[in-house]
Amino acid sequence: MGYKVLVTDKINEIAVRILQPGCDVDYKPVVSGDELKAIIKDYDALMIRSASKITRDIIAAADRLKVIGRAGVGVDNVDIDAATEKGIIVINSPEGNTVSAAEHTIAMMMAMTRHIPAADVSIKSGKWERSKLTGQEIFNKVLGVIGFGKVGSRVASVAKSMGMKVLVYDPFAGKEIVETAGSSYAASLDDIWRASDFVTLHVPKNKDTINMINKDSIAKMKKGVKIINCARGAIVNETDLSEAIESGQVEMAAIDVFDKEPVADSPLLKLGGKVVLTPHLGASTEEAQINVAVDVAEQIRDMSQGLPARSAVNIPCLKPEMLEPVKHYMALAENLGSLVRQITTGATREIEVVASGELAGLEISPLIVAVTKGVLECSHEGVNYVNAPSLAQKSGIHSKKSVSTDSESYMGLLKVVLTTDRETNKAIGTIIGMDIPRILGINGYHTSIEPAEHMLILPHKDKPGMVARVATLLSAENINISMMQVGRKVRALAGGESMMILNVDEPVSGGILEQLQKIDGIYSANYINLRAK
């Protein structure tokens, strides 16, 4: 007999039928946290949806557990770090709800433009308000699609079939991919704001997308624009959107996801027929629930037979014999990839990883995967060590590895060179001792600073007073500096260019970055968010 599997959270029972031929399956549609903690020690595999919260305490009690399968995309309800520490593989189903999410987006757009929710309420209350409920056609209107991944590209395809003009902004997809799919390419968000009659969002929630739709971006849009968000909450500033609807700058909005869920006090709730709201239903179709149940059940079945999982979220799927020699460099590699992507514009074309010193003689494939994951996480959701290479390949990104004899007196040196359709940037790092990571250089500027969750990179003119002016501004904004380095290029003379790198204790807003860029002598201001530890 294979794994003993617990299936819970009212997962479609087709999962049980897939697992039963080779596994011992217990189906408990509802299990409390305390009950789960008490019984989890008896299971090799756990299959859940979003209701169960798999905490560190539950994982600590899971003596036999080998895999946690999340029937869906998000794994926010699983303590990934705790699972990884215990060698438990966490898997999900990243593509099972693509069609449902795209269809819901189109449905929300149509419901909004034709006043369908208001018409339903009206006729059921005995009214016949045809003239009051006159809608608008979407034919020949411009749909601005932000994000051209699986859902965004499907929305674009359906919209084009309905006669809409589709304009796409996705700096990570590139012009060629968008135009090959039959849509028009927008070089900037401002192009989307200026041209679109409708704006629909299909991006992950990260530092670059949180608060993307705010009073400033709305002010740049056409008067009477309509906004649809079926992606993630917090991408839209709900207060700013509500005020824009009340002023008439935004005519209507259709929103499926919210900053805080379940929704209790969002100002959008008070706008009546000007908004169409649904309770995060993008993936809530019978077909999507069957798709994710089948996908995850098949992966657990395959793993019970010694086969690899297709959609593992964490690291244990890498072969131990390959990982062990380079494991101390994994977090550094991921952070170098993320850093260089965040300072680079354009669509990624090539990732080159150069190994020197002790790394030159090792198999660095795990490090290439880690770098690729760091690069892709800046633009994709659900990137992990298993799917990063295939996602890169599908995006037309070429990976290249090189070795060098020049390790600059360090035991091992890792360099990441990122090339896009616009520019090339590089970052270099090392590990001091066994576990102290250091960033040693960015684009030829020398430094030695620890990677941190919140960093600022400020290229500037090399002149007195620059550090003081930056520190004064950050102090006024109550942002603490935990570490700082200023570096010149090799053999650079005083009075040329330098780079200031600061580790700070909290995120830096776009408004503060604008203030920094206004300091005389600052060439640019980049906030960097690094996650790998």
Side-chain angles (χ1 to χ4, degrees), residues 44 91 110 127 175 180 195 300 370 399 414 434 480 487 509 523:
D44 301 292
I91 61 176
M110 296 304 301
K127 300 176 183 178
K175 185 176 181 180
T180 299
I300 293 175
S399 294
L414 195 66
M434 290 297 290
N480 187 56
S509 69
Y523 301 137

Side-chain angles (χ1 to χ4, degrees), residues 4-240:
K4 185 171 183 181
V5 185
L6 174 61
V7 179
T8 186
D9 286 356
K10 299 181 180 179
I11 288 172
N12 191 285
E13 291 188 43
I14 192 172
V16 177
R17 296 197 293 273
I18 290 170
L19 290 165
Q20 272 180 338
C23 298
D24 179 8
V25 183
D26 287 341
Y27 182 56
K28 298 178 181 289
V30 180
V31 179
S32 69
D34 289 341
E35 182 183 358
L36 183 58
K37 183 178 177 180
I39 65 176
I40 194 64
K41 66 182 184 299
D42 298 324
Y43 294 95
D44 301 292
L46 171 65
M47 190 170 172
I48 60 170
R49 287 181 61 190
S50 58
S52 292
K53 310 302 179 187
I54 311 305
T55 63
R56 181 173 288 272
D57 286 346
I58 290 173
I59 289 171
D63 296 332
R64 288 173 49 179
L65 201 63
K66 300 174 182 67
V67 57
I68 299 169
R70 163 69 166 97
V73 179
V75 290
D76 296 345
N77 55 324
V78 179
D79 191 323
I80 301 295
D81 290 338
T84 301
E85 289 167 12
K86 198 154 184 177
I88 298 169
I89 298 171
V90 180
I91 61 176
N92 68 348
S93 180
E95 299 184 19
N97 59 16
T98 296
V99 172
S100 293
E103 288 183 354
H104 193 64
T105 301
I106 297 296
M108 293 285 276
M109 179 170 64
M110 296 304 301
M112 172 177 60
T113 56
R114 299 306 299 267
H115 306 296
I116 291 172
D120 178 72
V121 172
S122 173
I123 197 168
K124 287 176 179 176
S125 64
K127 300 176 183 178
W128 192 260
E129 300 177 300
R130 294 181 64 196
S131 59
K132 180 181 176 181
L133 296 169
T134 300
Q136 298 174 8
E137 293 181 353
I138 63 170
F139 178 77
N140 219 27
K141 300 295 195 306
V142 176
L143 174 65
V145 178
I146 301 175
F148 204 60
K150 293 180 178 67
V151 177
S153 58
R154 191 173 187 90
V155 168
S157 176
V158 174
K160 286 194 287 99
S161 73
M162 299 175 75
M164 299 190 81
K165 300 174 182 178
V166 178
L167 182 63
V168 173
Y169 175 75
D170 188 333
F172 304 104
K175 185 176 181 180
E176 183 179 350
I177 291 174
V178 171
E179 292 184 346
T180 299
S183 298
S184 298
Y185 181 77
S188 69
L189 280 171
D190 283 350
D191 291 342
I192 293 283
W193 307 149
R194 284 191 295 265
S196 300
D197 302 301
F198 295 79
V199 173
T200 181
L201 302 163
H202 301 286
V203 294
K205 178 182 174 181
N206 59 37
K207 71 178 183 67
D208 294 318
T209 61
I210 290 175
N211 209 36
M212 176 182 282
I213 303 297
N214 57 48
K215 62 182 179 182
D216 294 330
S217 56
I218 290 171
K220 298 176 182 179
M221 297 180 191
K222 280 185 175 182
K223 185 175 177 62
V225 68
K226 299 176 181 66
I227 295 172
I228 308 111
N229 184 19
C230 296
R232 288 289 183 267
I235 295 172
V236 174
N237 184 305
E238 294 171 16
T239 299
D240 289 356

